[in-house]
Amino acid sequence: MKKSILFFLGAIAMAFNTNAQDGFEGYLLASDQDRGKLINAYINPAMKGLIHSMNNGWYHTAKVHSPFGFDLSIGLNASLVPEEDEMFTLSGLNSINSGSISAATVAGSEDFTPLTAVSFQDPNNPAITYSTTFDAPGGVKESLPLNAVPAPAVQLNLGLPAKFEVSLRLVPKVGSDNVKGDLFGIGLKKEITNWFGPLDKTPLHVSILAAYTTMNVDYNITDSGAVNVTDGFAQFKLNSYNVEAIASLNFPFINIYGGFGYGSGTSTLKMLGDYELSYAGQTRTVTDPIDSEFNASGFRTTVGTRLSLGFFKIFGSYTLQEYNTANLGIAISIR
């Protein structure tokens, strides 16, 4: 857990680590009541940012392809973490005593790693007190451009009869022996320009879109610092969806598009296995220490533009939402 953070493996796999002197294992040393609070607060910006990123970049025009026309796009979504989510408070924790009243989240500075003391009684034997110190893990702000949570997207859009278009994001299980992940996303767009009478004779196109994404990542956890691990295993799962109304002005060389809608999602993080924790002169083993759920939702407004160079398209957009998200990509489009 002393490696740099890896937000994604290939297109989808994600494993959270830190680059602090003592990493994630430091928060495992806290009491049973505080452990989940600390790790949830630390990881929360990355989880929320990933939900917002996965909901983004589903379209670059409201116009649908002709039946069985298609485009293949490669894009990058990057959700910007607000400054207030770079830190979290250490107040209200029973087992933690720090020289600082706050600590960095995963989106905070890697240089902010205050010395933190842990002290609490064994819940089954009050005569035993566990105590030690560790450096709180820093974040990865300096390692990520614009302090944004990235999510790549490779997407196929296929035109269907009756002014429908289906979008598919698919990555089979890929990775290494330590990290494996897979992703599936599907979207459906329906152009409704002809519902508005003479509008279908103008460059303006109007559509509605619904999209869903699911992602799974498995990560093997090994010994690190003050933690000896047996059968250590982390499971990350994400489910997200969004619905939007889209409009675009399509001209021969440039396309201006935008949308308004609602996005939501949940992600879970489970840390399974046995973890032997070392304190001052004592050890303690905890089993399956983390079972956390994260949520993000809200209304979203998107504005973007696309340049058309024959079959080749270049597009970019910006979405206003809880974590504002930028999108940039290219596409090859047929019909």
Side-chain angles (χ1 to χ4, degrees):
M1 300 186 197
K2 296 179 181 178
K3 304 173 185 178
S4 296
I5 194 164
L6 180 63
F7 276 104
F8 53 86
L9 173 68
I12 45 86
M14 185 182 74
F16 290 103
N17 297 291
T18 67
N19 53 8
Q21 178 65 30
D22 288 305
F24 225 120
E25 69 272 17
Y27 287 148
L28 293 179
L29 293 165
S31 68
D32 296 342
Q33 293 82 5
D34 291 344
R35 183 191 312 122
K37 296 176 183 178
L38 288 163
I39 293 179
N40 286 4
Y42 179 76
I43 288 293
N44 188 54
M47 295 296 197
K48 292 172 68 175
L50 195 56
I51 290 171
H52 288 301
S53 288
M54 296 307 300
N55 271 335
N56 213 55
W58 280 97
Y59 59 90
H60 44 82
T61 179
K63 183 179 179 180
V64 298
H65 286 283
S66 302
F68 308 110
F70 69 92
D71 72 63
L72 179 64
S73 64
I74 301 173
L76 177 68
N77 300 303
S79 292
L80 308 176
V81 179
E83 184 176 351
E84 60 267 24
D85 284 355
E86 295 178 10
M87 305 287 291
F88 71 96
T89 180
L90 294 174
S91 63
L93 301 173
N94 297 323
S95 61
I96 297 296
N97 181 17
S98 174
S100 172
I101 60 172
S102 58
T105 67
V106 69
S109 173
E110 63 186 24
D111 297 324
F112 190 78
T113 57
L115 182 66
T116 302
V118 171
S119 181
F120 62 95
Q121 293 178 322
D122 188 304
N124 300 315
N125 187 352
I128 299 176
T129 298
Y130 298 103
S131 60
T132 189
T133 59
F134 67 93
D135 289 330
V140 294
K141 180 178 180 178
E142 291 79 7
S143 301
L144 292 176
L146 302 176
N147 198 25
V149 180
V154 178
Q155 181 172 314
L156 175 67
N157 302 309
L158 177 67
L160 299 175
K163 293 288 186 178
F164 280 97
E165 183 175 286
V166 65
S167 301
L168 183 66
R169 296 177 177 178
L170 177 64
V171 180
K173 183 162 286 190
V174 297
S176 64
D177 291 339
N178 289 328
V179 184
K180 287 185 172 65
D182 60 80
L183 177 144
F184 173 77
I186 188 168
L188 185 65
K189 183 165 68 175
K190 165 65 175 174
E191 185 169 353
I192 58 173
T193 309
N194 60 357
W195 292 9
F196 302 98
L199 278 184
D200 60 0
K201 306 298 183 182
T202 73
L204 179 64
H205 295 264
V206 181
S207 293
I208 52 177
L209 168 78
Y212 169 77
T213 304
T214 182
M215 179 169 65
N216 300 282
V217 177
D218 298 331
Y219 173 53
N220 291 326
I221 301 174
T222 57
D223 295 348
S224 179
V227 181
N228 292 321
V229 183
T230 302
D231 298 326
F233 189 65
Q235 291 180 330
F236 168 75
K237 295 184 179 182
L238 177 146
N239 292 286
S240 64
Y241 70 88
N242 65 296
V243 291
E244 293 190 60
I246 309 165
S248 65
L249 286 168
N250 293 65
F251 300 106
F253 299 106
I254 191 169
N255 169 23
I256 300 171
Y257 62 93
F260 176 78
Y262 184 83
S264 182
T266 62
S267 60
T268 60
L269 178 64
K270 295 183 178 181
M271 188 179 292
L272 308 175
D274 295 321
Y275 298 78
E276 184 182 75
L277 310 174
S278 296
Y279 298 87
Q282 294 172 311
T283 61
R284 178 179 183 239
T285 298
V286 295
T287 300
D288 300 344
I290 300 299
D291 186 357
S292 300
E293 181 174 316
F294 306 84
N295 300 278
S297 62
F299 290 98
R300 43 190 285 122
T301 301
T302 298
V303 177
T305 188
R306 185 185 75 178
L307 298 178
S308 297
L309 306 172
F311 297 134
F312 186 70
K313 318 291 184 182
I314 304 173
F315 57 88
S317 67
Y318 193 79
T319 299
L320 298 175
Q321 54 186 347
E322 182 184 14
Y323 281 24
N324 294 339
T325 305
N327 168 257
L328 185 66
I330 59 174
I332 297 175
S333 181
I334 307 295
R335 296 196 311 159

